[in-house]
Structure formats: structure tokens, C-alpha cells
Amino acid sequence: MSSLKYLAVNPSNYLLHSAYIPSSKPETQRAILAASLADGKSIINNDLRCLETNTMKEACRSIGAQFIEEPERLIIYGTGGKIRPEKKVIDALGSGLVFRVITALTCHSETPAVISGDATLRTRVMEPLLNALVELGGNISSIHMNGKAPFINWGGYIGGECEIEGNISSQFITAILFTAPLAKKSTTVKIKGDILSLSYIQQTLEILTIAGIKFQHNENFSQLTVFPGKYNAAEYTITGDYTSCSYLVAAATLFPCDLTLRNINSKSLQGEQAILTFVEKMGLEIIRNDQRNEIRLINKKGQLTGNYEFNVSNCPNIVPTLASIGIYVDGCFRITGGSITRLHKSPRIKAMVNELLKLGVRIKPLIINDVYDGFEIHGDSSYSGNCTLSSWGDHRIFMSLFVASLRCRQANYIDGYEDVHCSFPGFFKEFEQLGITFQECIQKYEKVE
């Protein structure tokens, strides 16, 4: 007899008054990287502590950085740009950013390094980064000769020019940008085609600026040049995470409420801040208070109505969240520009379409050149529920399906709930404080040999 664990998410018809938004995962990870490469002591205030930021810390420890964790701040003693990997595999677990950046950085190691990850990460696209690093003088091999993890890096980054597609992963570009200052020659990255998730490249450049790294770029960021330089020790203060914020914003669209979100402000380059613009256009009142790091959302309607279309090419992480909003909008709700999500932890548009169809949602994918680019929904006021839903092994799919279940007439059962620790460890605590109820369920089944 075997068992499967699910979370039963109960229906609700109200939200209580306030919740706390965790600090930004991408900002924390980038600050950890810059501090780990600096010479001396750096401080990161208000850092996020979750599985993927811990994975970044462990990877940076493996190349020589030292960490001291204190309440609400992280102290890092950097390597001064010297990459000295320990004689063991560097494990990125499920973090694409950790794998990609550490792969690039170990090009500057004097000894070979092996970088790997979990089963999901080993299926993700990595070859464009490998090819770009080879153009820059690197000597890297895919151990299974398939262009995917694990990699063995023999070193050899020199600098120069490389080309890379802009519509696969901004993390490839971030990896090169962090690595480039350690080379003897300047590095120029030419980005081909559409640049998706540009906000993540801008966040990387913001951190490099604080660390004293010099670079230049053209107007549309299709060409970036990073000059050789030294990472300076610095102090960073992390703002709230807008992707995590999006799940609470989505919940606020479902019921009449007056909800205050803390640890969040508008002084952020995160593209996912667009979630506030989107719901404001749909009728929510948004009151921003940057002095108090708070945002107040007022929903006087209960059910949103109208026809809406939003492009998400610069905010792809909120694609699943937007699906959970759209299923309750009285009208036509269209999302476009989300093709890059097919390369995330799961094929996120396909995952949300498949799972929401189980609820009886009138949703269809929007497909361009055989790629899931978005979806169209004709929403309803409620759904019967009592469905077993899959997270597809993706924390963002789980959190979006959790929100989508709140206005169903019966509880839904969702797997993968333990994965929230990847980015939002306090997810359940915050929703409990809003009055939402849920409980763990274990379903036993006969295992067929």
C-alpha cells in the first residue's frame, strides 16, 4: 500500500485585513552572488531565506565565500574574485539560476568543477549558455553529451564576443554578466531576436552597479559590454517579491476586501510589479505607500467584469497567477507573450490549462508556431470543485491552483504543497492569517507491480 499527500483547500467568501510579502528571491540571489565575488565584507539587509536562496549560498560557499546569518541581515565575506571550488560536485538542486551562474563562474577556476542539479533541472535547456561560454574561451562539457546538466567545467574564459538568443532564458545572460568582470578582456553579449524577461537583466545590472562593475548597453539592451573590474564590498537592501505578492493580489480579486500588504513598495525593477497595473485596470483600487513599505488593495466589486488582454513578456512568473484570476472574471480574459514559461520549472501555460480544465473552466491555450504563448478564458462566478489537481512539480503552479480553489463550492485537493519552500516559505502562514483554511490529506492506493 502506497500513499499520496495532498492539500485540501477549502472554499472561502472573505479575506481578512493584512499579509506580509517575503523579500525578493531574484534580488537576494543576485546580491549573494555580487557579495560572494567581492573583496571583503558585504551586508544584505532584509534577505529572503528559502530553498533557492539557500542553494545559492551553498554554491557560493563551495567556491570560497563565507556567510554569517543574523536576524534580518546576511553578512558575506567574499572571495575577491578568486574561484576555488571544493573537490566535490556543486549541486544546484532545482535552481536554474544557480546552475547557470556557477557554470559560468567556474570558467575562472584553476581546477575542474562539476555542476549538477536535481532530476527536473537535468531536463532544462542549458546548451545556449554552454555554446556562448565556449565562444568566450570556456571549455565545458555536458557529461551526458546532450547539452544538459550535469556539466564539467575545465576553465578558460577569456572574454570577447558571444551571441545568445533572447527568448530562451534571461538567466543565460545574467550568468555571463556576473562572470565577465573577472576576465582580462571585455565581454560583449549580442542578444538575438526578442528579449523576454528583460526586467531580470536589468535587476542584474542594478546589482553590478552597486558592486562597482562598469558596463554599457545600447538602448534596447540587445548589446551589452562588461569591462574587466573588481567587485566591491557593498551593502544591499532587498525589497518585497512581486511574484510572491501576486498570489495575495490574486486572492484580493476574488472577494470584496480591504487588504494591506506589507514589505512591498514600488521602488523595484521587478517586471512582475505589473500585477498591480493589471488588477488596477480591472477595477481594484491600489494605494501605494512607499514610506511604510505597504500597498493597500480595495475590492468593492467581489466579481470583476470586462474584457481584458495583457502581454506578459516582461513578467512571465505571474502567468499562472493570472490564470487563477481570469477564471473568475465575467468576460474574456486573454494573456499573451508567455512563451518563455515553457522552459521554466514546468511548461506553465500547458500545466494551468490542463488543471483548470478539470475544474470545468472555459479556457483554451493560445499557440503560436506550435508553442504555448498564452491563454483565453471566459470566466464564471464559481466552480463545483472537489477535484484532484496536480502542481506538475512546480511551486508556482501549486500556489496559483491554491488561489484558484478559493471560490469553488467544494474543496480541491492539490499535490506538491511542500514545494512552496522554494520561494515563499511563509505562504501558508500568510493565507491562514487572511482566514483561509486547508488541511493535509493522505490518499492511500494499491501499488501495482
Side-chain angles (χ1 to χ4, degrees), residues 195-210:
I195 304 175
L196 305 182
S197 303
L198 175 60
S199 63
Y200 287 99
I201 298 171
Q202 292 171 316
Q203 288 174 62
T204 297
L205 295 175
E206 180 181 49
I207 293 293
L208 292 179
T209 299
I210 295 171

Side-chain angles (χ1 to χ4, degrees), residues 130-402:
L130 187 155
N131 293 340
L133 291 172
V134 169
E135 281 187 72
L136 296 167
N139 182 6
I140 308 169
S141 304
S142 168
I143 288 176
H144 296 305
M145 304 300 291
N146 61 357
K148 297 179 179 179
F151 282 176
I152 182 166
N153 194 335
W154 304 93
Y157 187 111
I158 298 169
E161 290 189 2
C162 69
E163 285 192 338
I164 198 161
E165 297 286 347
N167 64 354
I168 300 176
S169 175
S170 65
Q171 292 176 357
F172 298 155
I173 298 151
T174 283
I176 295 169
L177 295 178
F178 269 107
T179 302
L182 305 182
K184 293 180 180 179
K185 292 172 57 178
S186 298
T187 297
T188 296
V189 182
K190 295 181 177 180
I191 305 175
K192 299 186 292 183
D194 295 333
I195 304 175
L196 305 182
S197 303
L198 175 60
S199 63
Y200 287 99
I201 298 171
Q202 292 171 316
Q203 288 174 62
T204 297
L205 295 175
E206 180 181 49
I207 293 293
L208 292 179
T209 299
I210 295 171
I213 300 302
K214 304 298 182 185
F215 57 84
Q216 62 187 30
H217 58 80
N218 62 2
E219 187 175 356
N220 68 355
F221 291 87
S222 63
Q223 182 167 310
L224 305 104
T225 297
V226 182
F227 302 102
K230 178 182 176 183
Y231 280 88
N232 297 330
E235 185 165 355
Y236 304 87
T237 297
I238 308 302
T239 62
D241 190 292
Y242 271 97
T243 305
S244 295
C245 177
S246 74
Y247 308 114
L248 293 148
V249 172
T253 69
L254 304 185
F255 315 108
C257 65
D258 187 338
L259 176 63
T260 297
L261 303 179
R262 295 173 284 117
N263 190 42
I264 193 80
N265 65 50
S266 63
K267 295 176 181 177
S268 170
L269 292 176
Q270 297 172 59
E272 282 72 20
Q273 189 170 175
I275 189 71
L276 296 179
T277 303
F278 295 165
V279 299
E280 197 167 28
K281 288 179 179 177
M282 296 166 69
L284 263 67
E285 183 180 355
I286 309 294
I287 302 172
R288 298 166 175 83
N289 188 335
D290 284 349
Q291 288 185 328
R292 293 175 59 89
N293 284 339
E294 290 182 352
I295 294 174
R296 184 178 170 198
L297 299 95
I298 302 172
N299 181 355
K300 296 179 180 178
K301 296 184 176 182
Q303 183 175 17
L304 304 182
T305 62
N307 299 320
Y308 304 98
E309 180 168 339
F310 301 117
N311 183 282
V312 294
S313 58
N314 199 36
C315 51
N317 273 342
I318 57 173
V319 167
T321 318
L322 289 167
S324 72
I325 294 173
I327 68 172
Y328 294 111
V329 175
D330 182 8
C332 178
F333 186 86
R334 285 171 59 91
I335 296 299
T336 62
S339 63
I340 200 170
T341 61
R342 74 193 188 280
L343 304 171
H344 286 176
K345 194 154 286 192
S346 71
R348 286 177 172 166
I349 295 172
K350 182 178 181 180
M352 289 302 293
V353 169
N354 282 23
E355 298 311 306
L356 294 175
L357 284 171
K358 296 177 184 177
L359 285 177
V361 176
R362 289 177 295 164
I363 181 173
K364 66 177 183 180
L366 301 177
I367 297 175
I368 298 176
N369 297 327
D370 297 323
V371 172
Y372 281 75
D373 186 69
F375 48 78
E376 180 178 296
I377 302 173
H378 293 269
D380 208 335
S381 60
S382 186
Y383 301 91
S384 61
N386 194 30
C387 289
T388 299
L389 304 174
S390 171
S391 70
W392 292 52
D394 187 330
H395 54 121
R396 302 212 182 282
I397 299 299
F398 169 82
M399 290 186 278
S400 299
L401 293 174
F402 180 101

